Amino acid sequence: MSADGRIFVKGNEAVSMGAIDAGLKGYFGYPITPQNEIPEYMSLHLPKAGGAFVQAESEMAAINMVLGAAATGARAMTSSSSPGVSLMQESFSYMATSETPCVVVNMMRGGPGLGDINTSQGDYYQATRGGGHGDYRTPVLAPSTCQEAYDLTREAFDIAFRFRTPVMILGDAILGQMKEPITRGVPRPADPAESADWGLSGAKGREQRIFRSLFLAEGVLTAVNQRLRAKFEAMASLARCETFMTEDAELVVVSFGSIARIVKSSIRKLRARGLKVGLLRPITLFPFPAEAVAAVARQGKRLLTIEHNMGQMVDDVRLAVCGIADSAFHGTLSGTIPTPDEYEAAIEAALTGGSK
Amino acid sequence: MSETLAFTRTPSVAETPTHYCPGCQHGVAHRMVAEYLDAENLAEKTIMVTSIGCSVFLYNYLRFDSVEAPHGRAPATATGVKRVSPDKVVFTYQGDGDLASIGMAEIMHAANRGERITVVFVNNTVYGMTGGQMAPTTLVGQKTTTSPAGRCASTEGAPFRMAEIVAGLGGVAFSARVALNNVKHLAQARKAIRRAFEVQLAGQGMGFVELLATCPTNWKMTPVQANEHIEAAIIPTFPLGVFKDIAKNAGAC
Amino acid sequence: MSRIVLDEERCKGCLLCTVVCPKNILRQSSRMNAQGYKVAECAPELAEECTGCTACAQMCPDLAIVVWRTVKAKEASR
């Protein structure tokens, strides 16, 4: 630890520290690269902090252990990477429906399929469209620095309990593996009140409580879905983004996560050359900060979406500016690690190549 | 002369009639669990993990706090409940398709870890809810909707004997198989259910009880015929007995 | 005399109670309940043979049977 209290940690460790400081009571996970530092950190530190660590037999078991722990009102989480997160999707759907709060970390890796263990943003659709079967959404937070990984993981638990929903931290191999200084906050004291009126504790002096997602009686599922829809709409208040040098920009790049950091480097280089470009970085991917993106478009600035995939978030950007403007797109693909130079060239081409 | 109530519904069983078919012994199985928990004053600290299959609506019939696990995952969900609430009494209630097919990994690992939970496993040798398909416990030769010529051991395998398999794992403190087809067997079942919870309460490991039960509808039998079939055909494949009881193992930790 | 009270609306007519009664006093009645099941009954002419053993109630999957046991005065005082 440095004199100013900062510690030098990997993104995966920052996530783990954020969760423990948020009052984590149960971590359940299964090894997969590039997120193994999370279960490793948890196995050592969570029991000391009064929580339970279990290495599950599979990702399916891990997420369903989270379900059980979370149903008691405990703060619970799992972490994985792309293929493992696919295996958990059934339970995200169950938990969104039964309104079971939890935090899930996806440190994305290259895909599709087994892909590779390098970075990717290929799971944007899966993360922001619910991911599992059925009609639901879960909040998705996309940190781009280790400090933000710590802060957003802490906050993710508050969001999960406020809305009684699974919340995803969508990072990637770069974020998980890079090391940066962070400042840890004060651990949050336990708050039994946050689950007092719904957590399972044994039906003592009250009616039984049931976490369920099966509703066969006439009209009941519709009522459940109406309630869920109202909740998903209310989540719009969470929308958040960072803007960087957008004020006088002629072109604004929309990019998220660790890729947005590379884009930031490119923008600095372009600015040094006198080109007026800026960055809008969505911090919440669901809800998508559509208003902020639309506001940029209304100012007449051109848009370029840069992602490390074939074009997923660009759909949300285009929906946000529909009828006002369009967004160009530049995608780098899983299997390569993008460089500031490549993005610099793409941004410059978009800026000088006329409007799109 | 004085008249006393010799048998009535135990308080943890809801008044709601079940959706089960006539003669289905799920009603007997979960009633006996509730009777034990009520008798021991444990109902108010019990958390039940339900599963997928005919017993999917169990939370409508038993008044315990409940969480519905996805198909096969109940032992994992129960692990999560128990690890953060070690003072609660936690049990899963699962059928043969749920526990011995899709959920085979979860039951094996929860048992091997010695999760302090009780697993109530109802084996009726078919997938009941979906219409009588072949189950992991279907008898060799038994006709089902997906084994119309009868289960063939050389291509579809022989039935899993879960009570014996589970008994072989280190984390298991008690494992037994009982039947629900006559009064004598019901008494054995009651005792086995009690032991399966006692080992949890004592922190000794997993308690596992397999209950052989009828599925008259999918066996295409009357309830009385199905009940006779338990003795004639099911028990010969699935022998009754206690396969492990840690209390009888000297030196067990 | 011990006795059973059979809730005919809960009964699904499975007749498992009839096969475990040690006195063979349970049988299928000719009555249908609202669910359409032909319900079990205790034969009225044999009802007094009921010992209150609870076998029928234990076997019943549907909790349709409540058992009342009467202990004779001299037995009770023993």
Side-chain angles (χ1 to χ4, degrees):
Chain A
M1 192 186 289
S2 64
D4 60 0
R6 290 191 302 166
I7 47 175
F8 193 55
V9 298
K10 279 189 172 185
N12 282 331
E13 293 168 318
V15 161
S16 309
M17 291 170 183
I20 289 177
D21 290 350
L24 185 69
K25 284 285 164 272
Y27 173 90
F28 310 92
Y30 184 82
I32 183 171
T33 307
Q35 61 80 57
N36 292 316
E37 292 80 3
I38 301 176
E40 286 167 359
Y41 187 93
M42 291 297 184
S43 68
L44 185 60
H45 295 281
L46 184 55
K48 290 183 211 161
F53 167 86
V54 179
Q55 179 167 326
E57 58 270 30
S58 68
E59 285 88 351
M60 282 97 82
I63 188 62
N64 288 297
M65 289 175 188
V66 172
L67 164 63
T72 70
R75 291 192 161 202
M77 73 174 291
T78 186
S79 63
S80 190
S81 180
S82 307
V85 173
S86 292
L87 284 171
M88 298 179 179
Q89 293 296 339
E90 178 194 28
S91 297
F92 297 162
S93 177
Y94 277 57
M95 292 173 82
T97 314
S98 62
E99 300 187 75
T100 313
C102 72
V103 172
V104 178
V105 177
N106 179 2
M107 289 297 178
M108 289 182 284
R109 57 185 261 176
L114 202 48
D116 66 15
I117 57 170
N118 283 326
T119 203
S120 169
Q121 293 187 328
D123 303 347
Y124 179 92
Y125 278 153
Q126 186 193 56
T128 58
R129 269 62 183 170
H133 60 284
D135 197 4
Y136 73 97
R137 301 293 182 95
T138 55
V140 181
L141 310 177
S144 74
T145 67
C146 290
Q147 183 66 55
E148 204 176 29
Y150 173 87
D151 293 338
L152 289 182
T153 304
R154 270 191 86 137
E155 187 183 350
F157 284 95
D158 296 333
I159 294 170
F161 276 73
R162 178 176 155 206
F163 288 99
R164 282 188 59 184
T165 177
V167 175
M168 179 170 280
I169 298 288
L170 191 66
D172 59 25
I174 293 176
L175 179 74
Q177 296 303 320
M178 72 184 178
K179 263 188 146 173
E180 284 186 301
I182 70 161
T183 305
R184 268 180 101 155
V186 178
R188 173 187 174 278
D191 176 19
E194 72 179 350
S195 59
D197 59 356
W198 54 263
L200 303 186
S201 56
K204 186 175 184 180
R206 58 163 171 78
E207 286 296 297
Q208 70 181 145
R209 292 171 177 166
I210 305 169
F211 280 74
R212 63 188 295 188
S213 67
L214 177 68
F215 307 98
L216 296 184
E218 183 81 27
V220 178
L221 182 59
T222 308
V224 168
N225 275 317
Q226 282 166 344
R227 190 174 74 244
L228 291 177
R229 179 172 61 186
K231 182 162 88 172
F232 302 148
E233 286 168 359
M235 288 173 186
S237 63
L238 297 170
R240 197 193 305 170
C241 64
E242 177 202 355
T243 52
F244 174 72
M245 295 190 166
T246 55
E247 212 52 3
D248 63 340
E250 291 166 26
L251 180 139
V252 171
V253 179
V254 185
S255 187
F256 75 96
S258 56
I259 296 301
R261 290 185 75 165
I262 302 175
V263 167
K264 220 180 223 182
S265 301
S266 311
I267 287 172
R268 284 201 184 95
K269 290 165 82 176
L270 289 160
R271 281 278 175 177
R273 291 167 47 203
L275 299 177
K276 291 187 172 176
V277 292
L279 169 71
L280 187 152
R281 178 175 67 89
I283 296 171
T284 59
L285 302 182
F286 182 85
F288 187 73
E291 269 311 306
V293 175
V296 165
R298 275 192 217 99
Q299 291 163 11
K301 302 178 194 302
R302 279 182 282 144
L303 294 169
L304 167 66
T305 303
I306 293 182
E307 298 175 75
H308 196 44
N309 59 37
M310 296 184 194
Q312 298 189 20
M313 184 179 71
V314 67
D315 287 359
D316 284 332
V317 175
R318 286 173 176 156
L319 278 172
V321 301
C322 185
I324 310 168
D326 195 4
S327 173
F329 174 72
H330 181 78
T332 42
L333 299 182
S334 294
T336 58
I337 298 175
T339 62
D341 288 351
E342 178 178 0
Y343 288 158
E344 185 183 347
I347 297 166
E348 187 171 4
L351 183 67
T352 57
S355 63
K356 187 180 180 239
Chain B
M1 293 210 310
S2 65
E3 194 174 51
T4 57
L5 199 50
F7 186 98
T8 190
R9 179 171 54 83
T10 194
S12 286
V13 176
E15 217 165 331
T16 322
T18 67
H19 71 288
Y20 303 124
C21 303
C24 166
Q25 289 167 334
H26 264 305
V28 178
H30 53 66
R31 184 199 81 217
M32 292 180 83
V33 173
E35 284 171 347
Y36 165 77
L37 292 168
D38 282 340
E40 299 299 321
N41 273 320
L42 296 170
E44 292 181 338
K45 55 187 287 194
T46 294
I47 298 176
M48 171 169 81
V49 182
T50 63
S51 63
I52 311 298
C54 283
S55 61
V56 69
F57 292 119
L58 186 57
Y59 42 64
N60 289 340
Y61 308 141
L62 297 184
R63 293 168 156 160
F64 306 122
D65 271 9
S66 306
V67 49
E68 158 202 275
H71 202 15
R73 316 293 174 226
T77 302
T79 297
V81 172
K82 187 73 178 189
R83 291 292 184 114
V84 299
S85 311
D87 58 324
K88 302 300 177 195
V89 179
V90 181
F91 76 93
T92 72
Y93 187 99
Q94 304 172 260
D96 42 77
D98 190 89
L99 181 135
S101 188
I102 191 168
M104 188 60 114
E106 282 74 12
I107 184 60
M108 289 288 108
H109 285 268
N112 198 52
R113 288 191 302 266
E115 295 298 337
R116 273 58 169 172
I117 61 171
T118 299
V119 173
V120 179
F121 169 45
V122 177
N123 176 4
N124 63 10
T125 77
V126 283
Y127 282 81
M129 188 68 141
T130 46
Q133 293 83 11
M134 183 177 69
T137 52
T138 293
L139 307 186
V140 171
Q142 183 179 341
K143 288 181 181 175
T144 71
T145 58
T146 51
S147 58
R151 181 178 188 158
C152 170
S154 66
T155 56
E156 290 152 346
F160 283 100
R161 293 190 177 94
M162 291 308 298
E164 290 91 328
I165 292 169
V166 166
L169 298 170
V172 175
F174 178 82
S175 179
R177 181 182 295 113
V178 293
L180 303 173
N181 65 322
N182 60 44
V183 176
K184 181 182 140 209
H185 287 159
L186 288 174
Q188 291 170 356
R190 194 172 298 116
K191 203 171 156 192
I193 289 168
R194 187 175 72 228
R195 284 296 296 145
F197 278 98
E198 282 172 353
V199 295
Q200 175 189 170
L201 295 167
Q204 292 168 314
M206 177 185 282
F208 184 94
V209 58
E210 174 175 343
L211 302 109
L212 300 179
T214 54
C215 183
T217 301
N218 290 305
W219 292 357
K220 306 195 188 316
M221 294 177 184
T222 67
V224 170
Q225 286 168 342
N227 200 54
E228 288 165 354
H229 188 68
I230 293 270
E231 197 73 50
I234 308 290
I235 293 176
T237 296
F238 294 107
L240 306 184
V242 176
F243 302 102
K244 187 173 193 181
D245 190 336
I246 206 161
K248 291 172 185 156
N249 294 353
C253 59
Chain C
M1 167 188 114
S2 296
R3 64 192 172 93
I4 66 164
V5 179
L6 196 151
D7 182 341
E8 294 194 355
E9 287 313 313
R10 291 187 76 95
C11 177
K12 292 175 183 165
C14 74
L15 305 181
L16 292 179
C17 55
T18 67
V19 300
V20 294
C21 176
K23 297 291 179 183
N24 276 313
I25 61 176
L26 295 169
R27 65 186 184 193
Q28 187 171 38
S29 75
S30 53
R31 292 182 300 282
M32 291 261 194
N33 67 12
Q35 297 181 84
Y37 295 123
K38 209 178 237 191
V39 301
E41 67 174 8
C42 179
E45 67 275 17
L46 301 171
E48 64 186 26
E49 291 191 34
C50 177
T51 63
C53 74
T54 76
C56 54
Q58 288 182 54
M59 242 353 238
C60 176
D62 296 291
L63 281 161
I65 300 172
V66 168
V67 183
W68 291 90
R69 187 180 296 149
T70 297
V71 182
K72 290 188 181 119
K74 63 178 180 185
E75 283 180 8
S77 64
R78 274 211 295 251

